Amino acid sequence: MKTTPEALQTTVGQRVDLIDTPALVVDLDAMDRNIQRMADFARKHQVRWRPHAKLHKSAEIALLQQRAGAQGVCVQKVAEAEALAAGGVDDITITNQVIAMPKLHRVARLAAQLAARGGRLGVAVDHADGIARLAEAMAQSGSDAGIDVLVEIDVGQGRCGVPPGEAAVPLALAVSRSPRLRFAGLHAYHGRAQHLASSVGRREAIAKVVEAAYHTRQLIEAEGLAVPLITGSGTGTLVHEAASGVFGELQAGSFLFMDADYARNERDPAQPAFEHALYVKTQVVSVRDTHAVCDAGHKSHAIDSGLPTVALLPADRTLRYANGGDEHGLLYADAPDARLPSLGHMLWLIPGHCDPTVNLYDFFIGVRGGLMDGVVERIIRVDARGALT
């Protein structure tokens, strides 16, 4: 039987050891500290922060970040924007291209809804046809509301975006000429750089990003069009964009939870010390001479960035998580004298990649007071789970 919201609510006030498994658990204390560190960092460097909500997909968490000073949120999908707007989020940027007319009509409706309550919607473009289609959808909406439009330049991700420089100029001018489209600046995100292992490698990669974004801005402004903002960045490189003097907004999102993949990379000394805050709680369901088996397999965490690691273990027990299939994980003792956990033992896994792991769950279980002795404080809905369109 699928766990219902009502059933989960009965866990509020219970000790962490009573949480059924597998479960997606947020250490609320660690999450709060991460939010405060990000807010302090942005304030110190005088840049806006617009965290990516594709990480947590939760209106409640988005509003928590906004109360701490976040400008709004980024999303990747129209459906994510709709779900968060329904939860009360008013300032949303879709950092992706939207081409299909049915989706663009949804974008136009959402822009009107947000404008009516004092909010705003933004979207990225990288093609003249995309701009024309967006303008057509906005004109057909029957609303006077406008929409912020960012021209995306490909600064190393190798995905969407036009090449930096001359190719971006006619797109920016086309946006500025459309009555309901507001040219809002440049979107320049280098996702590959976020996960480079060395801090020097990340710094060198972002130096090229900054140069490309600055050059593109100069070319557009030479045509008499101001570039109000350059936005981008991620958790792995935010120190460099913040210090550049070129980027005015940081889109980092993973800092909120962190994951095993980020933990494997060298931390830049200037980066805030973000903590792991997202875990999959699991239980040992079988024990053999050579290994133990837990009830959290690949259906409970994403594996695109590697397998999860095991956290919060006593010093005399070093465990390695291995592939056990869809519903099981295999646990091996990595030290010669280490002991395997006993039957029924509860363990905490740090997912390899937070974003797709979150998308596997309907709810977070928020724990206050630590993962060893804390209690369940609240249940947080993953509002945009499965919001793929």
Side-chain angles (χ1 to χ4, degrees):
M1 179 180 296
K2 187 175 180 180
T3 303
T4 64
E6 294 76 20
L8 278 176
Q9 286 296 336
T10 65
T11 66
V12 173
Q14 291 185 355
R15 304 190 313 273
V16 292
D17 57 305
L18 296 178
I19 298 173
D20 199 6
T21 58
L24 190 66
V25 176
V26 175
D27 181 339
L28 296 174
D29 298 306
M31 183 180 77
D32 288 348
R33 288 191 292 268
N34 287 343
I35 291 173
Q36 189 59 54
R37 287 165 185 157
M38 185 65 195
D40 292 343
F41 178 85
R43 190 179 305 110
K44 175 183 176 181
H45 290 273
Q46 297 182 325
V47 292
R48 304 193 316 193
W49 55 296
R50 180 183 293 277
H52 231 301
K54 72 181 180 68
L55 168 81
H56 54 75
K57 293 175 169 278
S58 165
E60 180 176 335
I61 292 177
L63 293 172
L64 183 68
Q65 291 179 308
Q66 284 188 244
R67 287 193 290 272
Q71 179 70 26
V73 299
C74 296
V75 296
Q76 283 289 79
K77 299 289 187 172
V78 178
E80 286 179 329
E82 291 168 333
L84 296 185
V89 181
D90 291 336
D91 193 332
I92 302 172
T93 297
I94 304 170
T95 55
N96 202 354
Q97 284 65 42
V98 184
I99 296 301
M101 286 306 297
K103 285 190 179 71
L104 286 167
H105 288 307
R106 289 163 55 193
V107 166
R109 286 194 297 270
L110 184 58
Q113 291 168 11
L114 293 178
R117 62 196 208 203
R120 56 151 308 271
L121 182 66
V123 67
V125 297
D126 70 353
H127 197 282
D129 287 351
I131 296 169
R133 293 183 185 197
L134 176 61
E136 180 183 352
M138 294 297 294
Q140 293 175 357
S141 69
S143 168
D144 293 332
I147 187 169
D148 287 354
V149 180
L150 297 162
V151 172
E152 181 167 4
I153 56 175
D154 181 3
V155 288
Q157 176 70 12
R159 196 167 56 191
C160 297
V162 295
E166 293 287 352
V169 176
L171 298 184
L173 294 174
V175 171
S176 71
R177 288 192 293 264
S178 182
R180 289 186 177 84
L181 307 187
R182 296 185 295 263
F183 176 60
L186 298 174
H187 180 236
Y189 173 66
H190 191 344
R192 297 178 186 273
Q194 308 310 314
H195 302 283
L196 295 176
S198 78
S199 61
V200 171
R202 296 193 298 275
R203 183 176 70 243
E204 292 174 348
I206 299 305
K208 296 177 182 177
V209 171
V210 170
E211 181 181 0
Y214 178 71
H215 175 61
T216 305
R217 183 177 70 185
Q218 283 186 311
L219 292 177
I220 295 172
E221 292 187 337
E223 296 295 323
L225 178 61
V227 179
L229 180 71
I230 297 178
T231 180
S233 183
T235 295
T237 67
L238 58 87
V239 296
H240 307 302
E241 286 95 346
S244 69
V246 171
F247 279 77
E249 184 176 83
L250 309 178
Q251 297 176 5
S254 294
F255 76 90
L256 184 73
F257 291 151
M258 300 302 283
D259 52 34
D261 187 55
Y262 270 110
R264 285 188 283 266
N265 297 331
E266 178 187 9
R267 185 176 77 88
D268 189 294
Q271 178 175 313
F274 299 122
E275 307 171 48
H276 292 301
L278 186 77
Y279 299 86
V280 174
K281 188 190 177 195
T282 185
Q283 183 176 31
V284 174
V285 295
S286 181
V287 179
R288 303 278 296 277
D289 290 342
T290 56
H291 63 275
V293 182
C294 68
D295 62 357
H298 298 333
K299 287 183 179 178
S300 57
H301 53 256
I303 61 172
D304 60 300
S305 294
L307 296 174
T309 58
V310 185
L312 298 175
L313 295 172
D316 63 345
R317 185 181 296 146
T318 304
L319 292 180
R320 173 174 55 88
Y321 181 98
N323 179 4
D326 289 350
E327 311 294 354
H328 303 90
L330 305 181
L331 301 163
Y332 293 94
D334 267 353
D337 57 346
R339 297 178 291 109
L340 288 169
S342 58
L343 192 70
H345 190 81
M346 299 292 183
L347 294 169
W348 301 91
L349 304 179
I350 302 171
H353 190 182
C354 288
D355 304 38
T357 296
V358 169
N359 197 50
L360 298 171
Y361 293 83
D362 293 317
F363 301 93
F364 302 100
I365 298 178
V367 168
R368 183 76 67 185
L371 299 183
M372 302 302 294
D373 304 308
V375 298
V376 177
E377 180 181 276
R378 65 183 186 270
I379 306 302
I380 303 172
R381 179 182 287 276
V382 183
D383 301 281
R385 182 194 177 187
L388 303 178
T389 64

